[in-house]
Amino acid sequence: MDVKIDASWKEILRHEFTKPYFLQVVTHLKTEKATGAVVYPSGSLIFNAFNKTPFEQVKVVILGQDPYHGHGQAHGLSFSVPDSVPPPPSLGNIYKELHKDIGMPIPPTGNLSKWAAQGVLLLNAVLTVRANEPASHAKIGWMDFTDAVIRKISDEKKGIIFLLWGKFAQEKQVLIDETKHHVLKAAHPSPFSADKGFFGCKHFSRTNELLMMQGLDAIDWNPIS
């Protein structure tokens, strides 16, 4: 199957694309399209996180759950929205923590493409969603694929910083070899839980400390230059 994904990821994940679960995902999406369902993000953006952050450039992984399900919001990067869309509540809380942690001004854009370009893999565990139906594609096979992605990163790289926010993301901790990677955990930045441990976590300054300890460039967390 010719999956439109960055060449480095295509090579690393080549065995996944022929497995029954992945073919099931493809069939499900084709069926939904044929029956008139609206699915986000658009087909060209499903693998946007991988295309923006090639495998060899990954330094940090921020794991989300599934794409935003409102019109125009999802563009294939976890927690991110296109420039024309106001930052959703969870991203607003991420910005508040960035302001507290490193003094970053609250930006007007919710587009995190600049993070992705610096090696931050903005990975949703589920890569598609039906319009206005959160978690509607949670059981069609995407979890198998993104679990394989996390395992590949864990197995074939070292020193990666995984930011696991909330119970869902933290369930993926078992896929990560913590003898050679760093796992930072906090509550989810959702308005329902941000004050239960996300605010004050200082994950952004801590991530940069860990990168610089490895001789790597820190992340410029301001999404606008």
Side-chain angles (χ1 to χ4, degrees):
M1 174 172 292
D2 185 25
V3 177
K4 304 299 183 184
I5 193 171
D6 173 82
S8 64
W9 286 106
K10 181 174 275 193
E11 173 61 22
I12 287 289
L13 299 169
R14 64 190 183 281
H15 297 303
E16 300 302 315
F17 299 131
T18 58
K19 290 182 178 179
Y21 82 81
F22 195 85
L23 302 178
Q24 174 185 306
V25 170
V26 173
T27 299
H28 187 98
L29 294 177
K30 286 181 176 177
T31 300
E32 294 233 323
K33 185 176 180 180
T35 57
V38 176
V39 174
Y40 299 134
S42 61
S44 63
L45 293 175
I46 290 174
F47 295 108
N48 197 25
F50 302 91
N51 295 330
K52 295 266 188 201
T53 314
F55 182 77
E56 64 273 7
Q57 294 180 17
V58 175
K59 301 192 295 188
V60 180
V61 177
I62 297 180
L63 186 66
Q65 191 157 351
D66 66 341
Y68 296 120
H69 55 85
H71 175 71
Q73 291 182 303
H75 68 149
L77 305 176
S78 62
F79 294 103
S80 179
V81 290
D83 285 316
S84 59
V85 178
S90 291
L91 181 54
N93 285 335
I94 290 170
Y95 285 168
K96 288 177 184 176
E97 175 59 21
L98 272 160
H99 179 68
K100 286 184 180 179
D101 185 9
I102 63 171
M104 188 189 88
I106 303 295
T109 180
N111 190 336
L112 304 180
S113 294
K114 185 180 167 188
W115 294 10
Q118 298 176 80
V120 181
L121 182 66
L122 296 167
L123 179 67
N124 277 319
V126 178
L127 299 187
T128 58
V129 68
R130 203 158 46 236
N132 305 313
E133 296 183 44
S136 49
H137 286 178
K139 296 181 179 179
I140 71 171
W142 279 129
M143 295 275 204
D144 294 314
F145 179 71
T146 54
D147 282 0
V149 170
I150 295 169
R151 286 193 195 95
K152 284 290 186 183
I153 294 171
S154 178
D155 291 347
E156 302 199 20
K157 298 180 78 72
K158 63 179 180 179
I160 302 300
I161 299 136
F162 291 86
L163 305 186
L164 304 182
W165 299 331
K167 182 175 181 291
F168 176 85
Q170 289 162 19
E171 288 173 351
K172 306 297 185 182
Q173 188 172 356
V174 295
L175 306 173
I176 302 164
D177 181 352
E178 293 183 67
T179 66
K180 60 175 183 170
H181 299 291
H182 307 280
V183 173
L184 303 182
K185 297 190 291 184
H188 194 277
S190 158
F192 300 106
S193 55
D195 60 354
K196 298 175 182 176
F198 180 76
F199 291 139
C201 70
K202 298 186 182 296
H203 277 187
F204 304 100
S205 59
R206 181 62 180 147
T207 293
N208 281 347
E209 289 170 3
L210 291 168
L211 289 172
M212 289 187 289
M213 285 170 58
Q214 299 177 63
L216 299 173
D217 289 338
I219 305 297
D220 178 359
W221 295 108
N222 193 333
I224 53 176
S225 298

